[in-house]
Amino acid sequence: MAAWVEGRVIERIEWTPTLFSLRVAAELAPYKAGQFTKLALQRGEQRVQRAYSFVNPPNAPYHEFYLVEIPDGQLTPSLAALRVGDSLQVQSLAAGFLTLDELPAGRDLWLLSTGTAIGPFLAMLADGEAFERFENLVLVHGVRKGEELTYQALITSLVEQHGPRFRYVPFVSREEWPGAMAGRIPVAIADGRLQARVGLEFAAEHSQVMICGNPAMVKETQQTLQETGLAKNLRRAPGNISAENYW
């Protein structure tokens, strides 16, 4: 069983009334971009815990987590109430296989996410290894409202640093938003709008796709990509699609 260590909040970032990030100082075992750990708070005899991905690259001097506050949730309202200097518990060993070392070689890397599930992809992009392995990188982020398109400073810096090799495509489903595509990611793949926007096609010969989001989105996007000729990536049978449900 992984050990728990004390962490301390060193910075809090408020994106919207319900979206926030915590930067935490804690002594953790080494981990890979794309992995997750667990955060917890003690409630009497009970440790209330949930898994959260690292948003930061592994070489950062802090551990960052991107969260949505669920009003009737057992943990997130309490995490949302934490301020700089407050303590929480962090599991010392990370887990998860949505990492670059699990991917076969390819030319194009598509990172498809919804909501706070953009977190592990931001860690991968900030880490830099993805740009060493792939010629083209596409970050797709689907949200309900435009204000939920967070981490824009980081994304802008990636665009400026990598130029046309890096494409960022936001989706907003419940309102019109400047620069964003309307609707949902799997529908835009099925009708070809996403590929047209990016200027790349999905192809088994050169595409690797990572999907992270709510289970319904992950399932539908996988099915849609399989209809284009891509296959799930398995250790026993390397393919094109790697996915992780974000709750």
Side-chain angles (χ1 to χ4, degrees):
M1 182 178 296
W4 290 88
V5 300
E6 182 181 20
R8 193 162 298 278
V9 177
I10 60 173
E11 187 176 350
R12 173 189 166 85
I13 305 168
E14 291 194 36
W15 303 105
T16 74
T18 58
L19 291 172
F20 64 101
S21 296
L22 296 176
R23 290 183 174 178
V24 176
E27 293 293 329
L28 306 182
Y31 54 86
K32 302 172 186 176
Q35 289 191 302
F36 61 86
T37 189
K38 291 182 179 180
L39 304 181
L41 292 171
Q42 200 71 27
R43 292 290 176 262
E45 299 295 321
Q46 182 184 15
R47 176 188 286 127
V48 183
Q49 58 184 281
R50 295 291 184 273
Y52 297 101
S53 293
F54 295 97
V55 181
N56 59 283
N59 62 354
Y62 52 80
H63 315 290
E64 184 166 340
F65 306 96
Y66 182 29
L67 303 91
V68 57
E69 181 179 357
I70 302 171
D72 57 351
Q74 290 186 316
L75 182 59
T76 56
S78 297
L79 291 175
L82 294 177
R83 294 297 180 263
V84 172
D86 290 343
S87 62
L88 70 165
Q89 297 178 52
V90 186
Q91 202 163 64
S92 60
L93 292 178
F97 298 100
L98 194 71
T99 57
L100 290 174
D101 60 352
E102 296 287 335
L103 297 187
R107 186 194 72 185
D108 306 332
L109 176 61
W110 298 74
L111 306 171
L112 312 180
S113 64
T114 55
T116 56
I118 193 176
F121 296 152
L122 294 176
M124 292 178 198
L125 293 168
D127 185 48
E129 181 186 347
F131 290 97
E132 297 175 2
R133 287 193 52 190
F134 295 90
E135 181 179 336
N136 300 300
L137 294 96
V138 183
L139 174 63
V140 180
H141 186 205
V143 298
R144 297 170 301 172
K145 296 185 177 181
E147 67 177 2
E148 298 167 354
L149 294 171
T150 53
Y151 284 95
Q152 290 300 300
L154 172 58
I155 293 168
T156 298
S157 71
L158 292 168
V159 172
E160 293 173 348
Q161 182 178 356
H162 299 285
R165 292 184 58 205
F166 175 64
R167 285 91 151 174
Y168 166 62
V169 183
F171 274 78
V172 178
S173 62
R174 295 190 181 180
E175 63 180 354
E176 293 185 3
W177 194 261
M181 297 190 70
R184 297 165 51 247
I185 295 169
V187 175
I189 294 173
D191 63 23
R193 287 185 297 121
L194 176 57
Q195 298 90 308
R197 166 78 172 255
V198 171
L200 296 170
E201 296 295 328
F202 292 103
E205 296 76 20
H206 53 66
S207 299
Q208 285 295 319
V209 185
M210 304 181 87
I211 311 169
C212 194
N214 67 72
M217 172 268 189
V218 170
K219 181 179 180 180
E220 186 177 354
T221 304
Q222 281 183 321
Q223 292 174 340
T224 303
L225 289 169
Q226 287 175 301
E227 291 169 2
T228 72
L230 304 191
K232 290 183 179 181
N233 179 38
L234 306 172
R235 285 184 170 177
R236 66 178 183 275
N240 313 95
I241 308 169
S242 304
E244 185 171 273
N245 292 329
Y246 211 62
W247 61 62

